Amino acid sequence: MTSVCRNKRLNRWVEEVAALCRPERIHWCDGSRQEYDRLMGEMVSAGTAIPLAGRVNSFLFRSDPSDVARIESRTYLSTRNREDAGPTNNWIAPESLKQTMTSMYDGCMRGRTMYVIPFSMGPIASPLAKIGVQITDSPYAVCNMHIMTRVGERVIQALGKDGEFIPCLHSVGAPLGPGQKDVPWPCAPVEEKYISHFPEENLLWSYGSGYGGNALLGKKCLSLRIASSMARREGWLAEHMLILRLISPEGRRYHIAAAFPSACGKTNLAMIRPTISGWKAETIGDDICWMKIRPDGRLHAINPETGFFGVAPGTSFSSNPVAMGMLRENIIFTNCALTEDGDVWWEGMNGTPERAIDWKGRPWTPGRGEPAAHPNARFTAPAVQCPTEYHDWDDPEGVPIDIFIFGGRRSAVIPLVYEAFDWDHGVFMGASASSEATAAILDKVKPVRRDPFAMSPFCGYNMGDYFRHWLEMGDRLAGKAPRIFYVNWFRKDAEGRWLWPGFGENSRVLKWMCDRVDGRVGAIKTPIGLMPEKGDLDLSGLSIPEADLEELFFIDKDSWRREIPDIHAYFEQFGDRLPDRLRGQLRALDERLLSA
Ligand code: GTP
Ligand code: SPV
Ligand code: MN
């Protein structure tokens, strides 16, 4: 198929990539339903996709067991100066990385189709949107991109003759020899995988993986790593945050953006069904949030995506009925279990089947000792199917943010909720955030790691400069800055039981935040921040033992003081890139803990 594209730079880039990767054919994606159906049909015939009898137009994929999550140890930020990538990113010099990868790309698409996917992150023509073009040899990536982004000719039109786009090159790194039969999930061995970012040129090169954030380049690669670096240069924010609209019984709308690390509850909070009477919620985004200061002086947010790539295990009619309602049709499932009646299943879904086929394609029965679904099994779902979908989807202006929430998964130490004294203290709370390891990444990491703003794996420049950028955004926003809170839904008792019921009940905590924003309630000043006064957290209709509540809010000064050296060491790795204002915040926390 020849292109209708008049963009010279794009046409030249497609020619260059084709000459290097040597695919059998080139296909320009138009984003149509027919295109999606045809590619799915081909993948079904090839044995890669399994059509589900239990759900309309839905398919199950099983990845290679070595390719089940993002892989941070193979993710690179390639800047001319190492310092500009900073100590939290893997770095290789651009010339050297490009040389290595060019030799890997050489002939890497032999025997395959090269797809050209023009896509927009954000409503086309929004002042907050960006255009990317992904070249890939993975039809699975194409179908996912159809759901997750705005794909097609409208984007080519918007690009015109000389519009700007972000080139995103992707190959699974598995060329086919003449007559060679393909495998269901082609990919390269771990040590040949590269997920590379060249933020100084707004360029992405990914090789060897077909999974999630490694392969759907509009997501983490473009919308966070490249975009955060552009955002710093251009004075806006690209964050790993969900966006939620909460509506009070009186009809007041609050817009909340929350940053939790991977697999720590963003999708679930974004789809919350409040348990407190009269309150409603609408889902705007579950993973990525782009924000700009608009002419009203406030920070306005859009979700640049159009779909949800969510963690399947743990999703059930009791934990997340909204997601379950969304998953009935038009879904791509990856690494879930397959039941006898042709439906998907995963751990934590209501009920357990007597037998199933596990994510590796083997017969499975309960009690086998291994999960049937991979812990990072995912669904890809169109946002328009979300029962709590927000209706101003294409509003180019986005929504004004009232509340920021930071958080993570900590079984001890961190209380259920506290509020920042002011913006700088809030930035300190985000910068010192920490979380326990989850299955969202392949790498082995420390049991508790610092994950500032949930951006540690996604910040496209030196994290010390990122903290400074947040402080400066606060200076610009002044009195119009959102209020900042910290939450931990994951505190456990000594027996390992969750102290807080979570999910829909989290609305109680959100309501307290809204009450704080509008000055309806006061707060108790503690060494770590402001906490709810007795009776202000609405617990009506919830039976939770008094002792559990006490533990949820307990601040053990000794354990908090033990965090200080760890935060200090984390901060000091940034050297002179760390803003002094954060050093001051850490000192002040230490002093408050000492004198309390
Ligand atoms: P990414 O897509 O990787 O960025 O993850 P996410 O932050 O969107 O996480 P998600 O909402 O998918 O939740 C991950 C896991 O945490 C799931 O197994 C959920 O069931 C569980 N979870 C989410 N919210 C809560 C909560 O309030 N309490 C408890 N105990 N578990 C939760
Ligand atoms: C995450 O890991 O934060 C995800 C999944 O949202 S992935 O798209 O694979 O990055
Ligand atoms: Mn995420």
Side-chain angles (χ1 to χ4, degrees):
M1 180 177 158
T2 49
S3 109
V4 291
C5 173
R6 294 177 304 131
N7 190 287
K8 290 201 196 71
R9 187 174 149 239
L10 176 52
N11 287 333
R12 201 177 334 113
W13 180 60
V14 169
E15 273 172 35
E16 278 168 20
V17 171
L20 174 65
C21 301
R22 283 175 278 146
E24 201 162 287
R25 63 192 85 76
I26 300 176
H27 174 81
W28 286 73
C29 297
D30 61 15
S32 66
R33 178 71 197 250
Q34 293 89 307
E35 181 173 78
Y36 183 93
D37 292 345
R38 184 174 60 74
L39 290 178
M40 271 300 175
E42 287 173 13
M43 288 189 282
V44 170
S45 313
T48 300
I50 302 165
L52 295 172
R55 284 162 211 259
V56 180
N57 191 38
S58 299
F59 302 87
L60 171 66
F61 289 78
R62 295 187 190 122
S63 80
D64 188 272
S66 70
D67 200 31
V68 292
R70 285 187 295 104
I71 178 154
E72 294 182 6
S73 60
R74 306 297 308 169
T75 300
Y76 294 92
L77 200 70
S78 184
T79 48
R80 267 162 303 171
N81 299 319
R82 186 174 198 146
E83 287 291 284
D84 292 332
T88 56
N89 283 304
N90 299 312
W91 179 87
I92 300 179
E95 315 79 73
S96 151
L97 183 55
K98 282 187 178 169
Q99 200 176 12
T100 308
M101 290 188 75
T102 301
S103 63
M104 300 180 109
Y105 282 130
D106 192 356
C108 72
M109 295 188 187
R110 271 192 316 253
R112 299 192 183 277
T113 301
M114 175 177 123
Y115 301 92
V116 182
I117 317 170
F119 65 95
S120 176
M121 299 311 296
I124 295 169
S126 161
L128 290 114
K130 298 279 178 203
I131 288 177
V133 180
Q134 177 163 345
I135 290 183
T136 181
D137 52 8
S138 162
Y140 167 84
V142 176
C143 288
N144 275 274
M145 289 291 284
H146 264 237
I147 298 177
M148 297 303 295
T149 73
R150 296 162 171 87
V151 173
E153 265 153 32
R154 286 177 309 153
V155 179
I156 294 283
Q157 236 98 83
L159 264 184
K161 274 220 289 272
D162 40 34
E164 289 287 323
F165 67 95
I166 298 160
C168 310
L169 175 53
H170 172 243
S171 170
V172 294
L176 289 170
Q180 186 183 338
K181 193 175 168 338
D182 203 0
V183 293
W185 187 277
C187 64
V190 169
E191 60 289 354
E192 285 171 33
K193 294 188 208 289
Y194 284 88
I195 296 94
S196 303
H197 307 73
F198 304 91
E200 287 152 351
E201 307 169 58
N202 292 341
L203 176 67
L204 284 168
W205 281 10
S206 170
Y207 183 91
S209 168
Y211 205 89
N214 301 336
L216 316 178
L217 301 191
K219 203 172 178 56
K220 300 305 183 344
C221 298
L222 189 158
S223 291
L224 291 178
R225 298 193 192 93
I226 295 294
S228 64
S229 153
M230 295 174 99
R232 176 180 176 234
R233 295 193 296 265
E234 299 168 3
W236 50 286
L237 294 167
E239 301 298 330
H240 190 206
M241 290 178 171
L242 68 96
I243 314 170
L244 171 68
R245 172 183 284 167
L246 201 64
I247 308 167
S248 76
E250 297 74 38
R252 157 91 154 100
R253 296 156 150 200
Y254 299 87
H255 295 103
I256 301 176
F260 307 146
S262 302
C264 291
K266 287 183 302 304
T267 302
N268 278 272
L269 189 62
M271 294 178 189
I272 193 169
R273 193 171 275 174
T275 51
I276 36 172
S277 75
W279 288 71
K280 287 195 303 259
E282 290 175 15
T283 307
I284 302 178
D286 81 327
D287 201 46
I288 292 169
C289 173
W290 284 358
M291 289 169 280
K292 255 187 190 160
I293 300 176
R294 298 300 293 156
D296 64 2
R298 302 187 63 193
L299 207 44
H300 285 243
I302 61 162
N303 167 16
E305 304 188 287
T306 53
F308 304 120
F309 183 61
V311 178
T315 309
S316 70
F317 282 104
S318 40
S319 68
N320 191 347
V322 173
M324 293 303 280
M326 173 177 79
L327 297 179
R328 284 182 231 266
E329 51 187 359
N330 310 315
I331 308 297
I332 298 174
F333 292 97
T334 310
N335 288 344
C336 301
L338 180 65
T339 63
E340 280 184 315
D341 50 1
D343 199 1
V344 281
W345 186 81
W346 47 75
E347 278 65 26
M349 193 198 256
N350 309 61
T352 303
E354 270 169 37
R355 60 187 73 79
I357 307 291
D358 75 1
W359 68 278
K360 290 182 175 165
R362 305 169 307 182
W364 177 92
T365 46
R368 245 249 328 254
E370 274 180 69
H374 186 277
N376 192 42
R378 300 251 170 186
F379 53 77
T380 318
V384 291
Q385 288 182 199
C386 181
T388 51
E389 189 220 350
Y390 139 90
H391 293 285
D392 309 325
W393 202 246
D394 280 319
D395 176 4
E397 281 299 317
V399 296
I401 297 296
D402 301 286
I403 291 170
F404 278 130
I405 308 177
F406 301 123
R409 181 184 287 267
R410 289 292 302 267
S411 45
V413 186
I414 315 285
L416 182 64
V417 60
Y418 57 102
E419 183 186 349
F421 300 122
D422 53 33
W423 182 268
D424 276 25
H425 180 227
V427 172
F428 169 77
M429 282 167 21
S432 56
S434 58
S435 197
E436 286 154 18
T438 67
I441 53 168
L442 262 176
D443 318 71
K444 289 244 176 311
V445 292
K446 285 205 297 183
V448 173
R449 70 166 176 176
R450 297 281 143 206
D451 190 353
F453 296 76
M455 280 292 277
S456 182
F458 309 119
C459 185
Y461 57 102
N462 187 307
M463 189 64 90
D465 295 336
Y466 171 93
F467 298 153
R468 187 177 308 273
H469 182 47
W470 264 82
L471 292 169
E472 285 168 3
M473 289 298 286
D475 296 340
R476 283 172 60 199
L477 286 160
K480 293 186 174 169
R483 295 275 275 269
I484 302 180
F485 297 82
Y486 198 101
V487 301
N488 178 24
W489 311 140
F490 299 95
R491 197 157 176 171
K492 291 180 176 170
D493 69 5
E495 278 77 56
R497 182 182 54 95
W498 306 116
L499 286 163
W500 178 249
F503 303 101
E505 307 295 0
N506 293 335
S507 57
R508 300 169 187 277
V509 175
L510 301 182
K511 180 186 172 200
W512 178 72
M513 295 174 184
C514 297
D515 287 341
R516 287 289 301 153
V517 165
D518 283 341
R520 284 187 292 269
V521 297
I524 302 170
K525 195 169 176 208
T526 79
I528 65 164
L530 302 165
M531 288 172 66
E533 290 184 29
K534 216 168 174 62
D536 282 346
L537 187 70
D538 185 345
L539 297 172
S540 50
L542 183 68
S543 63
I544 175 163
E546 193 58 34
D548 284 10
L549 265 182
E550 240 161 67
E551 201 169 337
L552 275 166
F553 284 103
F554 180 58
I555 302 170
D556 175 19
K557 289 189 202 79
D558 291 334
S559 353
W560 269 90
R561 293 214 61 220
R562 278 196 292 276
E563 301 265 313
I564 303 262
D566 192 55
I567 302 173
H568 179 84
Y570 185 82
F571 277 5
E572 286 312 322
Q573 67 179 323
F574 302 106
D576 60 7
R577 302 272 185 141
L578 184 82
D580 269 330
R581 281 154 78 176
L582 286 189
R583 283 198 184 86
Q585 287 290 334
L586 181 59
R587 233 178 291 121
L589 171 64
D590 197 19
E591 281 159 18
R592 288 193 304 267
L593 285 166
L594 263 178
S595 61

